[in-house]
Structure formats: structure tokens, C-alpha cells
Amino acid sequence: MMMSEKFEEKFSEKFGGHFGGKLGQQPGSRRLALYGILLALTVIGANVKVLGSVAFDSAPAFLGTLLLGPVGGAILGAVGHLVSAALAGFPFTVPVHLAVAVLMALTMYAYGRVYGRFHDLTAWSYGASGVVAWVINVPFSLAVLYLVMQDAVWVLLLPLSLVCIANLIVAGLIYSHLSSSIKARFTR
């Protein structure tokens, strides 16, 4: 097997099934439709602002993480934040919002990995993954942004915490009320 074939095989194992097929194949139409629906819900949530670009745009990304896996959630989280920031006019500058988009992707990825690790223990998995998501999304993100924004980041602590927790609760409630047949159609 040539080096490129090995790479493609490993890449397909890791990321190829992300949209529902092997690398180079058409994505599953159900999964692709779910991405579209969740992105549309992200845009709607991005219009429900609390402070600047802090909005209810991440609930669909958290839900997408539970249904589509950590990579799908990371994509939804990053795009969702960029849409929310664009609708607010990039109040903290484009480079800062690009950094926040990367941090949102990291948040969703970690949330999905922790949830996947404990998915058999439902209450524990929601709690543990929610704490990890909050830690990355709020204190860690604000610590990173402190390098650029200095003391202005502390203004975001309370609204960002409340909105993050609300988004987690909304996503968890929706996911817990989905039937197992619907979950089976989309889950990793």
C-alpha cells in the first residue's frame, strides 16, 4: 500500500464518515439535511442577543455535537459564532472573533468527546460534558481573550456564563426528548 493510500485510509477512518459516507463518497442526505437545519437554527439563535455577540447561537451546536459527533459540533460551533459576530458587526474585531470561533470549535469538540466517553451514564454524561464545555467556553476563552482585550473581558463573564448554561440546558432537553430511533439515524 502506498503512503497516500495509507493516509487516505486513516483519514477516512477518522473523518470520512463524518457526513455519513467514506471519503470521496456523497454525504448521507439525512445528516446533511440535519447540518442545514442546525445551521439555520444557529442563525436564528444568533439573533437572540444578550450582549454584543453573546447570543443563543450555540444551543444548535451543542445539539449537533450530541447527534453528529464532536467534529460536526465543532463545525457548527465555529460557524455559529462567526454568524452571530457578523450579525453584531464584529464588535470585538474580526481577529478576536476568529479566535473565539476556534475556541467554540474546541468547546464543542471537548463537549462531544466527554459526552461520548460517559454516554451510558446519562445524567453523569450531561453534567460532566456540560462542566467541560462551560470551563472551555467561559473561563478558558476569557483567559485567552484577556491577552487582547485586557480587563474588558470581565464584563462578559456573567452574561457568557448564563447564556452558555442556558444553551447547554436547551440542547440537553431537546436531545433527551428525541426518540431513540431519531438518535440512531444521526448519532456517530
Side-chain angles (χ1 to χ4, degrees):
M1 194 180 278
M2 292 177 43
M3 184 68 135
S4 63
E5 291 172 344
K6 286 181 182 177
F7 173 78
E8 186 173 333
E9 184 178 304
K10 288 290 183 187
F11 190 86
S12 289
E13 288 173 9
K14 185 98 174 145
F15 300 108
H18 173 62
F19 287 109
K22 292 260 187 222
L23 187 65
Q25 292 180 344
Q26 287 288 56
S29 57
R30 285 183 181 158
R31 289 177 70 85
L32 199 53
L34 182 60
Y35 270 101
I37 291 167
L38 291 172
L39 280 172
L41 290 172
T42 296
V43 172
I44 292 168
N47 284 297
V48 183
K49 303 242 180 271
V50 175
L51 177 68
S53 65
V54 178
F56 287 92
D57 59 340
S58 61
F62 283 120
L63 180 60
T65 302
L66 296 174
L67 289 169
L68 299 167
V71 175
I75 293 167
L76 290 166
V79 171
H81 176 73
L82 289 174
V83 167
S84 180
L87 290 171
F90 293 104
F92 301 117
T93 73
V94 174
V96 168
H97 284 290
L98 288 173
V100 172
V102 170
L103 291 165
M104 284 301 295
L106 177 65
T107 299
M108 297 305 157
Y109 185 80
Y111 175 72
R113 294 293 292 184
V114 172
Y115 181 83
R117 176 87 167 102
F118 299 110
H119 73 278
D120 292 337
L121 310 168
T122 305
W124 174 252
S125 62
Y126 285 136
S129 58
V131 167
V132 167
W134 179 83
V135 166
I136 295 171
N137 196 26
V138 181
F140 180 73
S141 294
L142 292 179
V144 169
L145 293 176
Y146 184 82
L147 300 171
V148 178
M149 298 174 57
Q150 301 298 314
D151 290 332
V153 297
W154 303 120
V155 172
L156 298 171
L157 181 64
L158 183 62
L160 192 58
S161 291
L162 294 174
V163 170
C164 177
I165 292 166
N167 279 310
L168 284 163
I169 290 170
V170 167
L173 286 172
I174 292 170
Y175 186 75
S176 67
H177 285 87
L178 291 176
S179 70
S180 56
S181 64
I182 290 175
K183 290 177 189 175
R185 289 181 187 164
F186 298 108
T187 12
R188 305 155 229 180

